[in-house]
């Protein structure tokens, strides 16, 4: 059974940093692309970043480019999102999602339960 | 970047009704389109990928169609458990933009 467990969310001041983690199990982690998707309170889904499983290429939404870094540790079956220079607009539930294949152009078929990030002074 | 526009933003229909949601891409994306269902307070769930392929375990009353710029999600006979917000997402290339969502309610 595929399981994705996010952690690392919390309250942070504007300008601060957080690192989110997503522990994966139930599938061969290194073989699949992964993404982070966020949802601000009461709002829709926003794709944030993705990383392929085949070559480790990374992709970012314009709204986070230069501030967020996605990475993966295949030895630990863990996906990360390093978030720097956080602003109030980054307040959201962040979901980790597994893609259907190793390439990013494959869509996500499993989602974690999410971790809440609140940026506020 | 390619924009994804969903319509309507909300709808109310009776149990048993046929419901259609539209998603339009500002440029062609072939069939690199997914549909997700998000029930209140829950995690999004994949319904359809490749514009028309039903994800395993999803009821057959859900179907998707389209290619290029215009896509449709159809619920052939609306059920009470289908109350949710539905999102389309393009994934041909980054950014993997979502549509704004369509909230489906029971009349």
């Amino acid at each position: 059974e595929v399981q994705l467990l996010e952690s690392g969310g919390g309250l942070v001041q504007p300008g601060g940093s957080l690192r989110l983690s997503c522990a994966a199990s139930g599938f061969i982690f290194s073989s699949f692309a992964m993404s982070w998707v966020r949802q601000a309170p009461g709002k829709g889904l926003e794709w944030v970043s993705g990383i392929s499983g085949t070559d480790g290429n990374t992709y970012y939404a314009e709204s986070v480019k230069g501030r967020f870094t996605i990475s993966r540790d295949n030895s630990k079956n863990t996906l990360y999102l390093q978030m720097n220079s956080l602003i109030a607009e980054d307040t959201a539930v962040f979901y980790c999602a597994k893609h259907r294949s190793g390439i990013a152009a494959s869509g996500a078929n499993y989602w974690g339960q999410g971790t809440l990030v609140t940026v506020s002074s | 970047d390619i924009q994804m526009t969903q319509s309507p933003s909300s709808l109310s229909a009776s149990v048993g009704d046929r419901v259609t949601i539209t998603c339009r891409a500002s440029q062609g994306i072939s069939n690199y389109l997914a549909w997700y269902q998000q029930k209140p307070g829950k995690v999004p769930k994949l319904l359809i990928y490749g514009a028309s392929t039903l994800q395993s375990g999803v009821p057959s009353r859900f179907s998707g169609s389209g290619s290029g710029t215009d896509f449709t999600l159809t619920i052939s006979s609306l059920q009470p458990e289908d109350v949710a917000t539905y999102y389309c997402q393009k994934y041909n290339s980054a950014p993997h933009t979502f549509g704004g969502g369509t909230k489906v309610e029971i009349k």
Side-chain angles (χ1 to χ4, degrees):
Chain A
E1 179 191 4
V2 171
Q3 292 195 348
L4 301 168
L5 184 61
E6 302 95 337
S7 61
L11 175 64
V12 61
Q13 292 188 339
S17 298
L18 275 179
R19 187 176 84 155
L20 305 184
S21 299
C22 172
S25 61
F27 63 101
I28 302 173
F29 180 72
S30 59
S31 295
F32 291 88
M34 302 290 294
S35 282
W36 288 99
V37 176
R38 69 184 179 183
Q39 187 167 34
K43 302 297 184 183
L45 300 173
E46 181 187 11
W47 178 82
V48 172
S49 182
I51 184 168
S52 70
T54 53
D55 53 19
N57 281 348
T58 59
Y59 310 87
Y60 298 94
E62 201 61 40
S63 58
V64 306
K65 201 172 291 184
R67 300 189 299 123
F68 291 10
T69 301
I70 191 172
S71 62
R72 63 193 300 159
D73 185 337
N74 291 335
S75 69
K76 295 183 178 180
N77 291 346
T78 301
L79 177 73
Y80 301 101
L81 186 68
Q82 177 66 44
M83 305 187 295
N84 299 329
S85 303
L86 284 161
I87 59 178
E89 290 73 22
D90 294 319
T91 295
V93 173
F94 282 73
Y95 296 102
C96 160
K98 168 194 169 293
H99 285 231
R100 293 188 299 107
S101 79
I103 61 172
S106 59
N109 59 349
Y110 287 95
W111 297 58
Q113 292 300 309
T115 186
L116 176 62
V117 172
T118 303
V119 183
S120 174
S121 55
Chain B
D1 291 346
I2 297 173
Q3 306 304 312
M4 304 300 293
T5 304
Q6 274 183 248
S7 61
S9 57
S10 65
L11 66 89
S12 181
S14 299
V15 172
D17 281 355
R18 183 181 184 89
V19 169
T20 299
I21 299 169
T22 297
C23 179
R24 175 164 289 174
S26 59
Q27 297 175 41
I29 59 170
S30 185
N31 67 336
Y32 289 90
L33 185 101
W35 289 97
Y36 297 92
Q37 175 194 63
Q38 187 177 31
K39 295 184 178 182
K42 300 297 186 182
V43 173
K45 171 187 172 183
L46 176 67
L47 297 177
I48 287 167
Y49 62 92
S52 60
T53 302
L54 202 65
Q55 171 72 358
S56 176
V58 173
S60 59
R61 64 180 178 274
F62 291 93
S63 64
S65 64
S67 182
T69 60
D70 294 312
F71 302 88
T72 298
L73 173 69
T74 300
I75 308 173
S76 60
S77 177
L78 186 67
Q79 300 301 303
E81 60 266 32
D82 300 335
V83 168
T85 300
Y86 294 83
Y87 297 92
C88 62
Q89 184 197 26
K90 64 168 280 287
Y91 57 87
N92 61 315
S93 62
H96 295 180
T97 308
F98 287 90
T102 297
K103 187 174 184 179
V104 174
E105 298 176 324
I106 300 291
K107 193 180 294 182

